[in-house]
């Protein structure tokens, strides 16, 4: 399986919205998004377990970002509203075949969560200006 492929990044002013899309394999139940801000490590943003629709979010995006998936098209979305300058980052789509529903949606909040997700996209840049 080839890696996930992200799209939809760009530049937006603070308070604006963007929607990221990711074409995934459709073979793995756990999918999600990470980001890497300038000078920082990779941090979990949101995740979804396909079979149940269960989701998990980092505290920093809770209430502003929404993750969803379209199983028919093997696409995962990240709707980002009320964007802030500190949301500026490279956003990565991930998939994993080893995490169950609970782990998939809780691990995203852990500091070392990036080690737990197997398949990574190349990333798409999001820039939010003040």
């Amino acid at each position: 399986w080839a890696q996930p492929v992200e799209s939809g990044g760009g530049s937006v002013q603070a308070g604006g919205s963007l929607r990221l899309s990711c074409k995934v394999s459709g073979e793995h139940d756990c999918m999600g998004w990470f980001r890497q801000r300038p000078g920082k490590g990779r941090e979990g943003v949101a995740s979804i377990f396909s079979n149940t629709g269960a989701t998990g979010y980092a505290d920093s995006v809770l209430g502003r970002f929404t993750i969803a998936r379209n199983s028919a098209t093997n696409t995962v979305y990240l709707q980002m509203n009320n964007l802030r300058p500190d949301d500026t980052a490279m956003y990565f789509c991930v998939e994993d075949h080893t995490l169950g529903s609970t782990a998939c949606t809780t691990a995203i909040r852990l500091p070392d969560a990036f080690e737990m997700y197997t398949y990574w996209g190349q990333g798409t840049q999001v820039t939010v200006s003040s």
Side-chain angles (χ1 to χ4, degrees), residues 35-95:
R35 68 184 180 187
Q36 187 164 16
R37 295 187 265 195
K40 303 288 186 181
R42 294 188 181 188
E43 60 178 341
V45 175
S47 59
I48 186 166
F49 194 75
S50 184
N51 276 357
T52 62
T55 58
Y57 295 93
D59 287 343
S60 59
V61 306
L62 197 60
R64 300 188 298 123
F65 292 11
T66 302
I67 188 170
R69 92 287 192 205
N70 183 326
S71 298
T73 62
N74 294 331
T75 305
V76 177
Y77 302 98
L78 186 68
Q79 177 66 44
M80 305 185 293
N81 297 329
N82 193 20
L83 282 160
R84 308 189 297 225
D86 64 357
D87 293 316
T88 294
M90 184 71 78
Y91 284 73
F92 299 89
C93 179
V94 297
E95 296 182 73

Side-chain angles (χ1 to χ4, degrees), residues 3-4 16 19 24-25 42 60-61 78 84 89 103-104 121 129:
Q3 64 192 145
R19 188 177 79 158
V24 295
S25 67
R42 294 188 181 188
S60 59
V61 306
L78 186 68
R84 308 189 297 225
C104 176
S129 58

Side-chain angles (χ1 to χ4, degrees), residues 11-17 82-85 127-130:
S11 297
V12 65
Q13 289 192 320
S17 298
N82 193 20
L83 282 160
R84 308 189 297 225
T127 302
V128 185
S129 58
S130 57

